[in-house]
């Protein structure tokens, strides 16, 4: 009694292509969000340096770490998008 089965016909080629476009768009939205977070973090560090609460060396080090994390997460998103596109295009 906990399971409901809904029969669904397989997607057409056209619908699969539409779904891959949606996946790419969502992946791009996720990458934009990550870039916005990077920008916010870099601005916060620059403000600390301006207020003399951190040194310029700290700023450079932090910006490098933030960029490394950004690159890592964008690569993960790219891998997920490619994998999902492959899943969708399978018949």
């Amino acid at each position: 009694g906990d399971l409901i089965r809904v029969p669904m016909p397989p997607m057409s080629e056209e619908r699969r292509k539409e779904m891959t476009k949606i996946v790419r768009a969502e992946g791009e939205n996720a990458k934009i969000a990550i870039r916005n977070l990077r920008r916010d973090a870099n601005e916060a560090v620059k403000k600390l340096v301006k207020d003399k609460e951190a040194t310029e060396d700290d700023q450079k080090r932090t910006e490098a770490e933030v960029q490394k994390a950004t690159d890592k997460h964008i690569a993960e998103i790219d891998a997920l998008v490619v994998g999902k596109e492959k899943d969708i295009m399978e018949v």
Side-chain angles (χ1 to χ4, degrees):
D2 294 338
L3 187 64
I4 297 175
R5 293 183 189 257
V6 180
M8 295 183 68
M11 290 190 286
S12 67
E13 183 72 22
E14 181 179 315
R15 182 65 182 150
R16 284 196 295 270
K17 287 181 181 179
E18 289 175 22
M19 294 296 288
T20 58
K21 287 180 186 178
I22 292 170
V23 168
R24 281 191 206 117
E26 289 301 318
E28 190 59 37
N29 289 340
K31 289 192 275 187
I32 289 169
I34 289 172
R35 290 184 197 117
N36 288 338
L37 290 171
R38 175 188 61 195
R39 184 193 65 229
D40 294 344
N42 287 341
E43 286 175 0
V45 171
K46 286 178 185 176
K47 186 177 185 307
L48 288 175
V49 170
K50 182 180 174 188
D51 294 340
K52 307 281 188 211
E53 294 178 22
T55 65
E56 288 184 17
D57 290 340
D58 292 336
Q59 177 186 359
K60 296 292 183 193
R61 190 176 318 111
T62 303
E63 286 177 355
E65 290 174 10
V66 168
Q67 183 62 44
K68 193 163 127 180
T70 300
D71 293 341
K72 176 184 159 223
H73 290 295
I74 286 179
E76 287 177 14
I77 289 170
D78 288 338
L80 288 171
V81 167
V82 168
K84 185 52 73 175
E85 285 177 349
K86 196 179 295 183
D87 287 347
I88 289 172
M89 291 308 287
E90 284 181 2
V91 177

